[in-house]
Amino acid sequence: MARRRQVGRKTEIEREKKHSTKMGLPPKPLSLLSLSLTFLTILGFFPSAKPSTDFTNLVYKGCADQKFQDPSGVYSKTLKPLFDSLVSQSSTKNFSTATSGEGQSSITGLYQCRGDLSNSQCYTCVGKLPDLCTKLCGKAIAARVQLSGCYMRYEVAGFKQVTATELLYKVCGSTQASQSGFEEKRDTTFGMMEKGVEGGDGFYTGTYESVYVLGQCEGDMGGSDCGDCVNTAVERVKTECGDSISGQIYLHKCYISYSYYPTGVPSQSSAESGQSTEKTVALVVGGVAALGFGIACLMFVRTAFKKHHSNY
């Protein structure tokens, strides 16, 4: 008798499983939490562990018009060891110079990483520059490639030098400041930056009254020379960019950038990031809306599943 009840119960369970599968529903319902996690993973709401690579974005390139006349391949063979040496050194320090070859065939080069990059980030950034120099400038006898986190330049022996404060590149934001007091806030922040680079190690980043600034000098510049270079860059950006809420000035031996955020500097922002509070808010609101819609759909599925069982 007991055995007959067990067989009957087994038949009932198998019938239930068969009916559930036929309806496209799982034999055992997933919990709302596990379904929510699955939904979030599909939509990509979980933050990625991949580190930011913003510091490898191309800012500008400068290539000499004159090309290597190199039928024997001497310069090509000299340039590769130079690149290899610079990249190797970037794993331990953020600035270095090197020379490859001898006499008129020698080539001198250097690299510099932004002062807030780690050694590993510096190495990653500089490691991209040799290929970019070749791709963007070909066989130019002198070249400079600037990424947002580092730059590299090289030149053949005897190449004409430019002054430390020669303007190489500029970027001015299209948006003009509309609030009163912008110039005062910006200029105060510039003053802090000038003192910071001169009294420190040639690098400064800081914020004052919603203005973010960054300044850096080439690694072999002394404190006073660095201060003078940054001061020249400041005066240049005032002239070139006027009331723009952002700007970048790259001189031969130093560069500066600034960004003004009327509603407050976003956390973990930089002048190079280009992110805004409005974009961040839009992403968050969009994510919450999608999450709410997803949970509503999941609750509907779960309710339908319960009704199905109660009707059965």
Side-chain angles (χ1 to χ4, degrees):
M1 187 68 178
R3 178 176 177 81
R4 187 178 302 169
R5 283 199 299 268
Q6 290 177 355
V7 172
R9 176 57 179 164
K10 183 177 181 181
T11 303
E12 181 181 353
I13 292 174
E14 289 176 349
R15 189 185 303 118
E16 181 178 351
K17 286 184 177 180
K18 184 177 180 180
H19 189 73
S20 297
T21 303
K22 187 176 180 180
M23 293 291 293
L25 297 171
K28 183 178 180 180
L30 295 172
S31 68
L32 180 60
L33 175 60
S34 61
L35 284 172
S36 300
L37 293 178
T38 302
F39 184 77
L40 289 174
T41 302
I42 293 173
L43 290 182
F45 276 75
F46 287 133
S48 170
K50 183 179 180 181
S52 172
T53 57
D54 288 346
F55 55 82
T56 62
N57 291 337
L58 177 65
V59 177
Y60 76 91
K61 66 180 178 70
C63 311
D65 294 331
Q66 187 177 350
K67 307 297 182 180
F68 284 121
Q69 301 301 317
D70 193 21
S72 62
V74 173
Y75 285 112
S76 299
K77 294 177 182 178
T78 303
L79 196 55
K80 187 179 185 309
L82 175 69
F83 285 156
D84 291 344
S85 175
L86 292 174
V87 172
S88 175
Q89 293 179 70
S90 69
S91 64
T92 57
K93 44 189 174 182
N94 72 351
F95 170 81
S96 188
T97 63
T99 300
S100 180
E102 298 179 355
Q104 295 300 311
S105 299
S106 65
I107 305 176
T108 299
L110 63 81
Y111 73 86
Q112 178 156 27
C113 291
R114 211 171 61 206
D116 57 349
L117 295 189
S118 65
N119 286 340
S120 61
Q121 289 175 321
C122 181
Y123 179 74
T124 298
C125 191
V126 175
K128 295 183 177 296
L129 290 168
D131 287 344
L132 285 173
C133 286
T134 302
K135 179 181 178 180
L136 298 174
C137 294
K139 293 185 177 182
I141 64 172
R144 175 171 178 151
V145 175
Q146 174 84 50
L147 305 183
S148 55
C150 65
Y151 68 88
M152 178 182 288
R153 62 182 175 90
Y154 72 84
E155 57 202 33
V156 69
F159 186 76
K160 183 180 180 180
Q161 298 292 314
V162 298
T163 63
T165 56
E166 180 81 10
L167 177 64
L168 303 180
Y169 186 75
K170 69 173 182 177
V171 180
C172 300
S174 58
T175 303
Q176 302 293 303
S178 58
Q179 297 181 350
S180 61
F182 163 71
E183 288 189 6
E184 181 180 354
K185 295 175 183 178
R186 182 200 60 188
D187 293 350
T188 299
T189 315
F190 282 161
M192 294 166 55
M193 177 176 61
E194 291 177 39
K195 293 180 180 178
V197 296
E198 187 171 352
D201 56 358
F203 174 79
Y204 177 85
T205 179
T207 303
Y208 173 78
E209 292 291 332
S210 301
V211 180
Y212 173 92
V213 293
L214 182 149
Q216 185 167 23
C217 297
E218 204 160 89
D220 56 358
M221 292 194 79
S224 59
D225 290 338
C226 178
D228 291 341
C229 188
V230 169
N231 177 261
T232 301
V234 166
E235 295 305 316
R236 195 66 185 258
V237 82
K238 289 179 182 179
T239 302
E240 300 288 345
C241 296
D243 289 335
S244 294
I245 65 171
S246 63
Q248 300 176 40
I249 291 289
Y250 291 85
L251 305 183
H252 181 55
K253 286 278 194 176
C254 67
Y255 69 92
I256 67 169
S257 67
Y258 76 91
S259 293
Y260 174 57
Y261 301 89
T263 59
V265 177
S267 60
Q268 298 180 345
S269 69
S270 67
E272 289 80 11
S273 69
Q275 295 177 340
S276 67
T277 304
E278 289 79 7
K279 289 182 179 179
T280 302
V281 171
L283 287 172
V284 172
V285 171
V288 171
L291 175 59
F293 175 76
I295 291 177
C297 290
L298 294 170
M299 292 180 70
F300 173 78
V301 171
R302 190 180 186 188
T303 302
F305 184 79
K306 286 182 176 180
K307 288 183 178 179
H308 158 70
H309 272 275
S310 61
N311 292 335
Y312 184 78

